[in-house]
């Protein structure tokens, strides 16, 4: 069983930055494809970023490309999402997810484990 715990959310002004962390237990993040998703009120969950198991290939949603950076620290068994130039439309609950497959996916239903989420609110 994999347990994921997100942290780092909060309230920030537009243009600001936040760094989300996802601490994993029960499995090393290097052996899983790790992803970040978000869900805004009244909207469907959407893909944000993913990093593949075993190699550094990274994928981003077009809406965050150039502003967000996903990274992995194997020594700390954690995954991070650095979010810069935040916009009010980035406001959402952000979820960390893990996938057993070595391939990345933008589909949430293809991930096997989920964290509880952390709220990010960007004020205008």
């Amino acid at each position: 069983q994999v347990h994921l715990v997100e942290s780092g959310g909060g309230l920030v002004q537009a243009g600001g930055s936040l760094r989300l962390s996802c601490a994993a237990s029960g499995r090393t993040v290097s052996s899983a494809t790790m992803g970040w998703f978000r869900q805004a009120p009244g909207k469907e969950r959407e893909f944000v970023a993913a990093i593949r198991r075993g190699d550094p290939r990274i994928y981003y949603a077009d809406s965050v490309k150039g502003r967000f950076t996903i990274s992995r620290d194997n020594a700390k068994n954690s995954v991070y999402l650095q979010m810069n130039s935040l916009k009010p439309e980035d406001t959402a609950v952000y979820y960390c997810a893990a996938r057993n497959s070595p391939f990345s996916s933008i589909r949430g239903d293809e991930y096997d484990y989920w964290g509880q989420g952390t709220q990010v609110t960007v004020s205008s």
Side-chain angles (χ1 to χ4, degrees):
Q1 185 69 21
V2 178
H3 189 52
L4 304 173
V5 179
E6 302 97 333
S7 61
L11 174 64
V12 64
Q13 288 189 332
S17 299
L18 282 175
R19 188 192 192 210
L20 304 184
S21 299
C22 173
S25 60
R27 183 169 184 170
T28 59
V29 296
S30 60
S31 67
T33 292
M34 302 298 298
W36 285 97
F37 290 76
R38 65 186 183 187
Q39 187 167 20
K43 295 187 177 181
E44 293 188 354
R45 180 177 57 195
E46 65 172 349
F47 169 78
V48 176
I51 184 167
R52 281 181 55 164
R53 181 180 89 184
D55 69 52
R57 265 177 282 191
I58 290 172
Y59 304 87
Y60 295 102
D62 288 342
S63 59
V64 306
K65 204 171 292 183
R67 299 188 298 122
F68 290 12
T69 303
I70 186 173
S71 62
R72 180 173 55 204
D73 187 332
N74 294 336
K76 295 183 178 180
N77 208 31
S78 295
V79 176
Y80 305 96
L81 186 68
Q82 177 66 44
M83 306 186 295
N84 299 329
S85 302
L86 283 162
K87 305 175 182 179
E89 51 263 44
D90 294 319
T91 294
V93 177
Y94 283 72
Y95 297 91
C96 174
R99 186 173 188 227
N100 292 321
S101 168
F103 301 106
S104 181
S105 173
I106 65 172
R107 292 180 51 175
D109 60 0
E110 294 186 347
Y111 285 75
D112 303 292
Y113 307 99
W114 292 83
Q116 83 289 347
T118 185
Q119 176 71 47
V120 171
T121 303
V122 184
S123 63
S124 57

